[in-house]
Amino acid sequence: MVRWLSASIVTPALLALAAPALAATCQVGKVAEIPLTMTGRRAVVTAQINGRDARFILDSGAFYSTIAQANAQEYGLKLESLNGAMLSGIGGSTSLWATTVKDFRIAGQTVPRVEFGVGGSDTGFAGLLGQNFLGLADAEYDLPHGFVRLMHAQGCHNANLAYWAGAKPVALVEIMPMDTRNRHTIGTVTVNGVKLKAMFDTGATSSMITLAAAKRAGITPDSPGVTSTGFAYGVGTKRVAAWRARFTSIEIGGETINRPWIDIGDQLLPDADMLIGIDFFLTHRIYVDNKSQHMFVTYEGGPVFGLDPKGAVDEHGAALDLTDKTGEPTGAAGYATRGAVLASKHDLDAALADFDKAVSMAPNEAHYVWQRAMVHLAKGQPLLAAADIDKTIALAPNDPDPRLARARMRLAARDPAGALEDLKAADAALAPSADARLRLAAMYDSAEAYAPALASYDQWLRSHPEDHSRAPAFNGRCWARALMNQELDKALSDCDAALRLRPGETAYLDSRALVHMRRGEYDKAIADYDAAIAAKPREAWSLYARAIAERHAGKAAQADTDRTAALAINPRVADRAKRFHLDD
């Protein structure tokens, strides 16, 4: 959630240590070079589990590599008890098991019997690739150019290991020793003059400072200019409140950035005061020397901390040239990799140009066409996006993601029959435990196909016992049963479960009100509608449904008032009630 620039100039002492005279004694080599691509704000690497492709989020903030329970089921992995161990993170904690992958293949190398933790919320990917893998050697995070590398340095004590830097300024950050208890990359930064421990976390979709640390730096949710951004989610079923604030300054490696925007989360972290997330890694190249506990950082281009890098200056006030001087990609994969990085930075025009080149070089590579479709959608170009999604489906008809995307577009175009065609194809392609079943169920609901929606909610909930999305899944299943007017006792139990997880959520109150109305409990229905409408007074459906409940309860005057108000907001709400077989 934090966006910041580390552009510290290399000190004269460090330059001397990195001088050519020491080149013969300092040898740096690659243990493994792993390609990655950006999927939204996620850095994703592809591996194989027992011969099957598996996409992992690169997560330097994860103590251990993990797989969600649903994904372990999908890959046929056997769970081993850890005697009540728990996995902690943003949003609370979940139960933790272990599993062993007999054959794990990555970067062209097969590693036998790799252990993973099993637990946490489903991310939509196979799992997280954490520090038990990334900490095996030194790590070089070169996300701007699409790689993470495991490195080995010998005879390089006190040398500058940013071997790629050339004339670029290099920041030097001291980090905590990594051991069996602390397997994180943690260094010290200064925010508003206050020193804080920061974990460098590629798995965080944006950087975040804890509420307690923000208060130490003089910022609270009530400070001028601080705005709520809703909630942050992590490994458990809970969520934490989040805000965005402008701080006075942030400093790392001796360089100060003034007036940065930093996100705040109402969460305590076990080993740090803040997370430096994917936004930082996308604009920097980083070498983590785990032996000498140093991190070497160069800026590679792009906006940081919500600030324009053109305004960056060094410690003497001189402007820094921070433009990316990397050469052009040489093939389709290179252009697609750079396009994904640019898209994640919201540089959509440049991303589209790169994807155009990738598609022209490899026109039958479905993934490049799909990536271009997502950029067209982000640019508000639905017709161009639809054409690329159609082409993706033609090239990869069994890929559920473009099917779900086209179904969503068809629903928006009021083509439920066309949407159902794609939803059924996605349903057939998805594993029973797939995280995408939650999206599938919601879209079945939008297409008014309640029986398959209910089936997908059932499958998702069975395989995601401790996921942060359980509340909307319970609500979705409650709503589907209420609309079908079936299993109303189970529907009520589901809505109650959703509201226990998210007390006062207006959509869940509205769903439970419909269940009460189906059960003839009109006073209870009215009470839930009252609570929902108090939070959202212009919600036409809640007003109209309350009018129906009020008429059944003999409150004709209130019913007339609510009905009139609802129709004034949305004249089509009465047609919706008729489709749901609710009488007025």
Side-chain angles (χ1 to χ4, degrees), residues 225-244:
V226 177
T227 57
S228 171
T229 55
F231 298 95
Y233 300 87
V235 301
T237 60
K238 299 179 181 178
R239 58 185 180 177
V240 299
W243 301 266
R244 187 165 177 79

Side-chain angles (χ1 to χ4, degrees), residues 333-362:
Y335 279 110
T337 296
R338 190 174 72 175
V341 171
L342 291 167
S344 68
K345 295 178 182 179
H346 305 291
D347 189 352
L348 300 179
D349 289 336
L352 185 59
D354 275 354
F355 286 128
D356 281 342
K357 291 176 181 176
V359 172
S360 68
M361 292 178 177

Side-chain angles (χ1 to χ4, degrees), residues 230-265:
F231 298 95
Y233 300 87
V235 301
T237 60
K238 299 179 181 178
R239 58 185 180 177
V240 299
W243 301 266
R244 187 165 177 79
R246 193 156 205 169
F247 286 69
T248 302
S249 64
I250 187 167
E251 178 268 328
I252 181 172
E255 194 68 33
T256 299
I257 299 299
N258 294 317
R259 295 177 58 75
W261 290 100
I262 303 179
D263 288 346
I264 303 169

Side-chain angles (χ1 to χ4, degrees), residues 3 7 55 80 117 167-168 193 199 221 234 236 245 254 262 271 300 339 343 373 400 417 423 444 449 515 519 537:
R3 303 179 186 278
R55 302 177 72 211
E80 304 167 24
K168 288 181 179 179
M199 181 187 301
I262 303 179
D271 299 306
E300 299 296 309
L423 293 175
Y444 268 138
V515 175
R519 288 160 59 96

Side-chain angles (χ1 to χ4, degrees), residues 104-154:
F104 184 77
R105 185 171 178 82
I106 190 167
Q109 302 181 39
T110 298
V111 185
R113 301 192 62 79
V114 175
E115 293 184 348
F116 286 86
V118 178
S121 294
D122 200 330
T123 60
F125 298 90
L128 310 176
L129 201 61
Q131 284 292 352
N132 65 312
F133 180 84
L134 298 171
L136 290 173
D138 292 348
E140 181 190 336
Y141 299 97
D142 186 12
L143 272 63
H145 308 117
F147 291 98
V148 59
R149 302 178 183 95
L150 299 185
M151 305 292 290
H152 176 72
Q154 185 173 352

